[in-house]
Amino acid sequence: DARVTQTPRHKVTEMGQEVTMRCQPILGHNTVFWYRQTMMQGLELLAYFRNRAPLDDSGMPKDRFSAEMPDATLATLKIQPSEPRDSAVYFCASGSEGRPGAFFGQGTRLTVV
Amino acid sequence: AQSVTQLGSHVSVSEGALVLLRCNYSSSVPPYLFWYVQYPNQGLQLLLKYTSAATLVKGINGFEAEFKKSETSFHLTKPSAHMSDAAEYFCAVSRSRDDKIIFGKGTRLHILP
């Protein structure tokens, strides 16, 4: 059963600490999206990649957030330093070039205290 | 730029009644449109997608949506609501098959016994 895998599922950290979230896209998918979900803002697109290259990261705060794809099976989202306002659920989704729609992971619930 | 507007952040229907969730889109090019469903503490699951092949699109769990260009709408319907349909529903738009997907604010569907 192909699925997008995100780790960790939950993360509680102190303000100022570095946070790394990981995503394993569905094998064969070459498009990866990172979204942030909050009650106030809903689902915001932070960044997306195709064939490991960033296509759009305009939704991501550049001073503290970074997203990378070290290889085709791993995408990472880092926050350094973390702040309480970063508390949210972060979703990774993957898709296949030429096929509309994306498949979502279960999300990482981040709490920054 | 693409965007979607979902009318009604909360909708309540009785079990067995018609479900109608409204979505209007804005797009500078013929859009690709999607409906996703999110159950509590879960990721988003694709319900159905419009890719210009047919204006009436059937999805999973008995849902369907109709693309109306003249009204810039893509409303989601289900003839008879079931308790298990209680969830949050998101309308989304993309300008091409594998471009970024932009989500609406979501509509929480409540099913009354």
Side-chain angles (χ1 to χ4, degrees):
Chain A
D1 185 22
R3 63 180 66 186
V4 177
T5 303
Q6 289 187 248
T7 55
R9 289 292 312 276
H10 302 272
K11 177 72 175 179
V12 180
T13 191
E14 293 184 346
M15 182 172 62
Q17 296 298 305
E18 178 178 300
V19 175
T20 298
M21 291 169 270
R22 294 177 172 79
C23 169
Q24 182 176 356
I26 292 173
L27 189 63
H29 282 190
N30 65 342
T31 305
V32 172
F33 305 86
W34 282 105
Y35 289 89
R36 175 170 63 185
Q37 185 177 36
T38 60
M39 290 290 290
M40 293 300 294
Q41 300 298 325
L43 275 160
E44 303 173 276
L45 178 66
L46 297 176
Y48 84 110
F49 293 74
R50 180 165 306 123
N51 297 322
R52 298 174 54 199
L55 291 188
D56 187 343
D57 60 1
S58 58
M60 200 164 64
K62 299 293 193 302
D63 56 339
R64 299 183 299 109
F65 285 61
S66 63
E68 296 179 342
M69 284 201 71
D71 61 60
T73 64
L74 177 64
T76 62
L77 180 66
K78 291 185 181 180
I79 308 175
Q80 169 62 26
S82 58
E83 298 181 1
R85 59 179 168 153
D86 301 328
S87 297
V89 181
Y90 291 81
F91 286 105
C92 174
S94 72
S96 184
E97 188 172 3
R99 295 187 64 182
F103 294 84
F104 278 72
Q106 298 290 299
T108 294
R109 182 176 296 275
L110 174 65
T111 303
V112 183
V113 298
Chain B
Q2 280 68 37
S3 67
V4 290
T5 302
Q6 293 184 242
L7 302 178
S9 57
H10 292 266
V11 170
S12 295
V13 301
S14 297
E15 190 175 18
L18 171 72
V19 175
L20 171 61
L21 303 183
R22 301 178 186 272
C23 173
N24 287 90
Y25 69 89
S26 173
S27 179
S28 56
V29 298
Y32 290 81
L33 294 161
F34 311 89
W35 276 99
Y36 282 82
V37 61
Q38 184 179 31
Y39 298 101
N41 299 314
Q42 299 289 319
L44 280 74
Q45 180 182 6
L46 182 64
L47 270 180
L48 49 80
K49 57 189 174 186
Y50 167 75
T51 61
S52 77
T55 57
L56 183 61
V57 182
K58 294 187 184 299
I60 62 172
N61 301 339
F63 285 93
E64 62 182 36
E66 186 172 8
F67 173 73
K68 291 187 177 180
K69 184 179 179 180
S70 61
E71 299 177 7
T72 62
S73 69
F74 190 57
H75 301 332
L76 182 70
T77 60
K78 182 175 180 177
S80 177
H82 192 272
M83 295 300 290
S84 60
D85 295 327
E88 187 147 22
Y89 292 79
F90 293 90
C91 183
V93 65
S94 176
R95 64 181 179 184
S96 70
R97 284 183 173 272
D98 41 25
D99 198 18
K100 58 187 177 183
I101 302 173
I102 305 301
F103 286 83
K105 295 292 188 183
T107 296
R108 185 166 296 277
L109 177 64
H110 304 271
I111 309 298
L112 307 173

